[in-house]
Amino acid sequence: MSVPTQQATRPTDPDGPTGQLAGWLAGTGLERIPATVRERAAHLVLDGLGCALIGAQLPWSRTAVEAVLPMEGGGSTPLIGWGRSTSAPAAAVLNGTFIQGFELDDYFPAAPLHSTSLLLPALLSTVSQLGAAGGTVSGAEFLRAVVLGIETGTRVGLALGGPEMLVRGWHSGSVFGTHAAAAASGALRGLGPAEFEDALGLAGTQSAGLMGAQYEAMSKRMHHGLAARNGFYAAGLAQGGYTGIKRVFERPYGGFLSTFGEGHHPDASQITQQLGEQWNTAAVTVKIHAAMGGLHPAVDAVLALTEGRGLRAEDVERIRIEVPTAIHHHGWWAPERPLTPIGAQMNIGYTTAVALLDGRVGPEQFTPARLDADDVWQLIGRTEVAEVDEQQDPAWAQPGYNTRVTLSLRGGEVLTRALNQPHGGPDDPLTDQEIRAKYRTLTAQVVDPARAARIEQLVLGLEGLSDLTELVDLLAAPARRALD
């Protein structure tokens, strides 16, 4: 018995935002993506895989694997850093959980989402499924899918007013990340415009994520993995002829923007504005601190103010941090002992305290001993966080992160610094060389140097790879534990 397939070859409204995006996704080949954007995308892939390798064997990642695999059973899709495989949907969930495992993965500030934790899991699961059916995926096809996924996720997030979602308590990236994953997986599957419309509609109806997970829940690590799985499903269902919501972005009742955007002012035009001309891939931020992205300007300010001073907790009388509404809602509450690693990584009081005392915010700042250290909690008790709307510096052209840190030291000295962007942000991006250095630092803890170097070589040469078998095999091999 044959399975009915969709007869339409064009979206229901090719001139609407959903139709325009669907048509662009189907019609944009790698040659239409500027070389500089492709090169940056390859470095973003490298960064995401470095985060996956260090995240694969974290304690909460191991808990996730041991919980998910008994429910999902076997399969041929590998788990990064485990030497084990499972079903393609389960692998998407877990590989996304690994990339998000230590708050080191990329993010897009204007519409907060973590692109590689959405795209790489969905793509690796798609590669596995296509391979099981006898197909192959080239590195060039993979790289094209990454860029199309980034452009889709960031634009849908801009249309929804991404930071406003955080203020309202949604985990923004897992809400509009389903579209990013669906677009990327659909690109590998060779979907046509009408199929892409269905995939986008199927993605939108699976969007979810509550930001209350940030306080103590392991589930915060899994949100983007779940979105990756949902996007993988959306593209696969669309390819199989299973229809989704038509014109999902512009529907006035039950549509994506009208429903998730209730209470503020979504703008569907953001989805297609300068589509194919302005590339958001180039504006994706790569992190250097193991903390929520909105906290990075405060961490950078503290590090700049205290460099070379060797301050102790008793040297600081008070810390005052001023941040805009979205960061205040997302990154500040009065923490209490015991604080979990996820809560610490999301809390501006904890992250600035360890930055001041330790001179960095990395994995070792979130061990059980450091999370419960008296000197850290002394500083947290002297920290005040204020919500501000006015610009900290009138010279700033964009609202940005609008952060000011003031340290009042015992003896009367007052140190203050305002930052609108962190290092790594759109105004001060990490160079490709810095991204490679970060990858090498992360992987040095968990895989052998030769393996890490070969992964780097293959990823940065994606456009020349005829298939991804060697890269997938290198990723699948077991990794060492970063933390016990």
Side-chain angles (χ1 to χ4, degrees):
M1 182 178 184
S2 62
V3 177
T5 56
Q6 182 179 340
Q7 297 301 310
T9 59
R10 302 182 69 202
T12 53
D13 178 9
D15 295 324
T18 307
Q20 287 185 53
L21 178 60
W24 181 80
L25 289 170
T28 300
L30 189 67
E31 73 283 352
R32 295 179 62 182
I33 301 171
T36 54
V37 175
R38 303 198 305 264
E39 183 176 5
R40 189 63 170 185
H43 280 82
L44 294 176
V45 171
L46 184 70
D47 183 67
L49 294 177
C51 293
L53 287 165
I54 198 171
Q57 293 290 343
L58 291 168
W60 41 90
S61 296
R62 296 196 298 272
T63 300
V65 170
E66 299 305 330
V68 169
L69 292 192
M71 293 189 288
E72 290 282 353
S76 59
T77 304
L79 299 179
I80 295 173
W82 270 81
R84 297 175 68 176
S85 59
T86 183
S87 68
V93 173
L94 291 170
N95 286 330
T97 301
F98 302 161
I99 297 173
Q100 264 270 281
F102 222 94
E103 289 294 324
L104 282 161
D105 55 322
D106 65 80
Y107 65 103
F108 184 71
L113 83 169
H114 304 277
S115 294
T116 55
S117 64
L118 296 159
L119 304 178
L120 299 184
L123 289 173
L124 290 172
S125 290
T126 305
V127 168
S128 177
Q129 185 184 27
L130 295 176
T136 59
V137 175
S138 70
E141 291 171 315
F142 190 93
L143 192 62
R144 168 183 175 262
V146 168
V147 175
L148 297 187
I150 292 174
E151 296 301 319
T152 297
T154 55
R155 289 172 178 280
V156 175
L158 289 170
L160 197 56
E164 294 184 67
M165 298 299 289
L166 291 174
V167 172
R168 294 173 57 207
W170 288 104
H171 192 175
S172 57
S174 59
V175 170
F176 43 81
T178 53
H179 297 97
S185 181
L188 284 193
R189 295 172 184 275
L191 299 189
E195 293 171 311
F196 265 119
E197 180 181 29
D198 281 325
L200 295 169
L202 287 159
T205 204
Q206 297 181 86
S207 295
L210 297 176
M211 209 58 252
Q214 73 177 25
Y215 300 108
E216 70 286 308
M218 290 181 184
S219 62
K220 195 272 176 188
R221 316 278 189 189
M222 192 176 278
H223 283 180
H224 279 61
L226 292 168
R229 177 202 61 190
N230 294 346
F232 166 81
Y233 254 109
L237 288 169
Q239 185 180 38
Y242 199 82
T243 60
I245 300 170
K246 309 297 184 184
R247 298 184 292 114
V248 68
F249 298 124
E250 53 265 46
R251 287 278 188 189
Y253 171 73
F256 182 78
L257 295 180
S258 61
T259 301
F260 282 105
E262 186 177 8
H264 57 272
H265 304 287
D267 178 8
S269 70
Q270 293 287 327
I271 295 172
T272 56
Q273 186 174 340
Q274 294 185 289
L275 185 62
E277 299 173 8
Q278 177 178 311
W279 298 89
N280 292 336
T281 301
V284 170
T285 293
V286 175
K287 290 183 178 181
I288 56 174
H289 308 305
M292 185 260 285
L295 312 185
H296 284 215
V299 171
D300 281 353
V302 166
L303 293 175
L305 291 172
T306 59
E307 185 178 8
R309 285 179 170 266
L311 293 178
R312 301 164 299 172
E314 55 264 34
D315 299 325
V316 181
E317 190 171 84
R318 190 176 70 137
I319 302 173
R320 178 177 170 82
I321 308 170
E322 297 165 272
V323 292
T325 298
I327 296 175
H328 191 269
H329 277 256
H330 190 19
W332 175 243
W333 66 95
E336 298 178 357
R337 284 164 135 166
L339 188 61
T340 64
I342 185 61
Q345 289 178 303
M346 308 301 287
N347 188 278
I348 199 168
Y350 182 89
T351 53
T352 53
V354 292
L356 186 151
L357 295 168
D358 300 348
R360 69 189 307 268
V361 181
E364 61 269 32
Q365 275 65 55
F366 301 95
T367 61
R370 201 68 186 118
L371 288 167
D372 198 40
D374 288 338
D375 59 344
V376 175
W377 286 93
Q378 289 169 20
L379 280 185
I380 293 174
R382 301 183 200 128
T383 298
E384 171 192 0
V385 182
E387 181 180 343
V388 296
D389 293 323
E390 68 275 7
Q391 288 278 78
Q392 300 287 358
D393 186 332
W396 291 341
Q398 300 294 330
Y401 292 79
N402 196 27
T403 295
R404 179 181 296 276
V405 175
T406 302
L407 306 179
S408 299
L409 306 183
R410 299 200 186 279
E413 187 177 7
V414 177
L415 310 174
T416 187
R417 185 175 182 87
L419 283 176
N420 202 32
Q421 298 284 345
H423 181 44
D427 293 346
D428 185 19
L430 264 64
T431 64
D432 289 347
Q433 182 177 1
E434 287 177 305
I435 294 174
R436 295 193 296 271
K438 175 189 169 184
Y439 166 82
R440 293 166 188 169
T441 298
L442 293 180
T443 55
Q445 302 178 57
V446 293
V447 300
D448 294 335
R451 176 181 167 194
R454 182 58 176 160
I455 291 171
E456 180 179 341
Q457 182 183 33
L458 291 171
V459 170
L460 297 184
L462 273 172
E463 288 192 52
L465 291 185
S466 59
D467 73 77
L468 301 172
T469 302
E470 182 184 2
L471 176 60
V472 171
D473 288 346
L474 287 166
L475 294 171
R480 297 188 295 273
R481 295 184 178 190
L483 293 176
D484 289 323

